[in-house]
Amino acid sequence: AGITSLISITEVVISAVRDKFEIGRVAATLVVALPMATVSVLFLGTTSGLHVLDIVDHFINQFGILLVAVVSMVVVVWGLRALPQLAAHLNDHSSVHVG
C-alpha cells in the first residue's frame, strides 16, 4: 500500500513537470525522482533518519501548512487584488454575507 501511495503522489509531480517544461516521461521522471532519492538517502538513510523524519513532520504539520495558507491569502488578496471578487462570489452563493 505504501509503494502505490508513493507512486500516485509522485505521478502528480511528474505530470506537472511534463506539462510545465514540455519534456518526455522518462526525463520528467528523472528530474523528479533523482532529487527525491538523493534527499531520502542523505537524510533518512542514516541511524538518525527517524528523528529527522519526526522533526520535519512536526515542523510541516505545526507551521508549514499555516505558512502556506497565509502566503496564499496574501497573494490572492494583495498580489492579485481579488478580494472584491471573492466577497461578491461569497455573497452570491453563500448564506453567510461578508462586507
Side-chain angles (χ1 to χ4, degrees):
I3 292 175
T4 56
S5 295
L6 175 67
I7 290 171
S8 69
I9 292 169
T10 307
E11 185 61 35
V12 173
V13 179
I14 291 170
S15 179
V17 169
R18 286 184 68 193
D19 292 344
K20 179 71 175 175
F21 298 110
E22 298 177 359
I23 58 177
R25 181 166 183 75
V26 173
T29 302
L30 289 174
V31 165
V32 172
L34 287 178
M36 285 176 55
T38 303
V39 168
S40 294
V41 167
L42 290 177
F43 291 123
L44 304 175
T46 64
T47 56
S48 62
L50 190 57
H51 298 294
V52 172
L53 178 63
D54 193 35
I55 291 168
V56 170
D57 183 56
H58 178 74
F59 174 77
I60 289 174
N61 287 327
Q62 295 296 321
F63 306 108
I65 295 172
L66 179 63
L67 180 66
V68 168
V70 169
V71 169
S72 298
M73 289 309 301
V74 167
V75 167
V76 167
V77 171
W78 185 65
L80 301 176
R81 309 271 189 227
L83 190 59
Q85 293 91 351
L86 290 173
H89 179 78
L90 242 152
N91 289 332
D92 289 342
H93 300 287
S94 175
S95 61
V96 177
H97 294 284
V98 294

